[in-house]
Amino acid sequence: MEIMNIKIPEGWEIRKLGEIAEIVGGGTPSTKNPKYWNGNISWITPKDLSNFRYRYIYRGSKNITELGLKKSSAKLLPRGTVLLSSRAPIGYVAIAGKELATNQGFRSFIIKEKNKLNNEFLYYWLKLNKPKLESIASGSTFKEVSGSALKQLEIFLPPIPEQEKIADILGSIDDQIENLMEQNKTLEEIAKTIFKRWFIDFEFPNEEGKPYKSSGGEFIDSELGKIPKGWRVGTFGELIKDTIGGDWGKETVKGKFNKKVYAIRGTDFKNLDIGLYDNLPIRYIKSSSLEKRKLKEGELLIELSGGTKGQPTGRIFYVSKSIIENSTYPLVFSNFCRKLIVNKSARPEFIYFYWKYLYSKGVMANYQTESTGISNFQLKSFLKTFKIYIPPKELQNKFSNFAKNIMNKKQNNQIQTLTQLRDTLLPKLITGQIRVKV
């Protein structure tokens, strides 16, 4: 919805962004000089916001030094500055939670007239007006929103008390979403911790309920070193009955491609893991494909392609009960993913957390190849050749029953409901269709 086409509410005023906020760019220190990098100044790039779902950002993947700041066009931005990615892509928004800097892919807003503009109100205004921002972008090589174009943008401003109230309403919903996402992360971290203790440190409970290794449990020799008695060395391939390729389908209904679905991509794994379902692509596939590829509770997906060259791939995704329940349409997966069919000798939750542990250690990078600028995970080779510890089925069952309970406790239902509420209120509050009392 474009604010330019909305009738101005009573008591609001029209201002140009350049009148009430200083709009500044960023910069990148020379990557050839190590003195410019790994300092104490957080340095944000658009990539840092690609899967960022919080309002306030405190750090990115890289830091620069004071010398790097001085020797580049990057600027130290005060806490509360509103960051907007202005190219590649346009429209990522966050608020600086502390002093930080950005690269040149940003146009950032430092509020000049704080009695006229609230930074959180501006944050939500920019999120609502992403289509408008994209429409004023220019450039032949890639589209970019210039600082001069942003300065001329007109914004409808309620009085500051009303702006603050609007920001409080939307912010309180986002606070609840963020808290639930953190709970989801904590729940999975608990399961990851238990997995490592049982299956990597060999401190699973013995018959008396005591830690096996610390209590003098018996070990045997193996090609991977000492392992608990009753365990063996094998491969993931021994635990997988089959793998199934994905289907990207069609963008619109076309002949037999008439079954409306959500097609999960590798890039969606992270958001789905913490309960976010927005931005899942809608596709259309054949009935026969839907029958074969429709995801069910407890199934596993592997990301085959990481996209751009050098990007890690081989991630795993667990289909929980709540994910299925919250999906408006059937869930399938794109042809850049592959579904694992677990055989009767293993449990998917055990495989999932084992895979996550190995991924965190960089193991999958050894099975990654590059072709035509794309990173690809060699799934078949990994399943067949990588050696793992395989515990007895009874121990897998004990862990998997616990882990499954953890995964199904994730607050995905509430996150989905709150996200829909926020997205419904956002345009109505920001444009004055719903007025708030102050």
Side-chain angles (χ1 to χ4, degrees), residues 18 22 41 53 69 83-84 90 149 210 214 227 241 270 312 336 342 381 425:
E22 180 185 359
I41 300 172
R53 296 309 180 98
L69 182 74
L83 316 178
L84 170 71
I90 296 167
K210 297 179 180 179
S214 299
I227 61 174
K241 181 180 179 181
K270 186 175 182 180
F336 289 110
V342 179
S381 175
L425 288 176

Side-chain angles (χ1 to χ4, degrees), residues 82-100:
V82 181
L83 316 178
L84 170 71
S85 65
S86 54
R87 66 183 189 190
I90 296 167
Y92 290 155
V93 190
I95 303 173
K98 66 173 187 177
E99 284 189 334
L100 48 74

Side-chain angles (χ1 to χ4, degrees), residues 201-214:
D201 301 333
F202 304 135
E203 295 288 21
F204 55 91
N206 63 14
E207 293 178 354
E208 299 176 352
K210 297 179 180 179
Y212 185 85
K213 184 176 181 180
S214 299

